[in-house]
Amino acid sequence: EGETALVAGCTLSVAEMVHESLVKWLNTFDLPNPVESLSSLSDGLILHEILRGIAPENFEEGSLKEGVSANAILKTNNVKRLLKELSSYYASVLLQDYDTDAIDASSVAAAHSDEVAKLVEGVLGCAVQCDDKARYIQRIMTLDTAAQKDMMVLTQRVLQRGEESAID
C-alpha cells in the first residue's frame, strides 16, 4: 500500500491502477455505455447486467430498480440485492461461500472506489469460474499487458478464495 507508479505523466497509486484495470475489463463486455470509473457502478445496475450475461438463470431481470442514482437508500438496496444474488450464485453454482459482509453496500452506493472494486472482484469470480470461463478469460487476454497482469493477480486471488471457501 502506498506504492505509486508514473503513468503518462501522472502518479497513480497501485490501487488506482488496479481500479483502472477493472474498468478496462468491464469495458470488454457489451454495455450500452462505456464504464468511466468504478464509482459509476454504485447503483449496481451495470454489474447486474454483466452477471445476467454470465449466468442469466441466476440473476433475475428486473430484480434491481432502475433510475435510482439520486437516491442513496434505493442504491444501497440495489447493491444489497446484487450481493444476495451473488452470494446465492457462489453457493448454489460454484459451491463456495461468498462473504457479503466484507462489502459494505452503503459504501458501494456512496461510490467509494475501494468498496466497488471488492464487488467487481466478486463479478470477476463468477466470470472466471462459470461454465463459459474460457470466454471471459479470453477477454482479459485482450487487455494491455499491465491490465492483464492486474487482472491475473485478481483472478488468482479470487480462485484462491474460492478454494478456501469451498462448501463441502
Side-chain angles (χ1 to χ4, degrees):
E1 203 161 31
E3 295 176 57
T4 57
L6 197 59
V7 178
C10 60
T11 307
L12 295 177
S13 70
V14 170
E16 288 168 330
M17 289 168 56
V18 170
H19 292 180
E20 273 190 12
S21 297
L22 286 169
V23 167
K24 288 175 184 176
W25 174 68
L26 291 169
N27 282 318
T28 67
F29 289 86
D30 187 22
L31 302 170
N33 298 302
V35 174
E36 301 292 330
S37 67
L38 291 182
S39 59
S40 68
L41 306 170
S42 63
D43 62 5
L45 291 168
I46 292 171
L47 294 177
H48 192 261
E49 194 54 37
I50 288 170
L51 288 164
R52 283 195 36 70
I54 293 169
E57 61 286 348
N58 297 88
F59 297 92
E60 283 182 50
E61 187 169 4
S63 64
L64 270 60
K65 291 196 179 355
E66 306 254 348
V68 299
S69 59
N71 187 317
I73 293 168
L74 293 178
K75 281 170 60 172
T76 301
N77 288 342
N78 266 5
V79 173
K80 285 179 180 175
R81 233 176 258 113
L82 177 60
L83 285 168
K84 187 176 178 191
E85 288 184 9
L86 255 179
S87 179
S88 173
Y89 179 82
Y90 270 82
S92 64
V93 177
L94 301 178
L95 305 178
Q96 299 170 7
D97 275 327
Y98 180 72
D99 185 10
T100 55
D101 295 335
I103 299 172
D104 180 41
S106 300
S107 293
V108 172
H112 296 163
S113 294
D114 289 339
E115 244 10 67
V116 177
K118 290 183 203 173
L119 183 54
V120 176
E121 253 185 74
V123 175
L124 174 66
C126 292
V128 299
Q129 297 180 88
C130 73
D131 289 339
D132 203 11
K133 61 182 164 229
R135 176 174 161 208
Y136 298 107
I137 292 168
Q138 184 55 43
R139 288 173 184 215
I140 293 171
M141 304 315 288
T142 66
L143 301 173
D144 61 74
T145 309
Q148 279 184 43
K149 285 181 182 169
D150 290 341
M151 294 307 297
M152 293 318 281
V153 167
L154 292 174
T155 299
Q156 288 169 339
R157 189 161 72 191
V158 162
L159 294 175
Q160 184 177 355
R161 241 187 254 135
E163 287 173 19
E164 292 166 0
S165 68
I167 299 170
D168 296 327

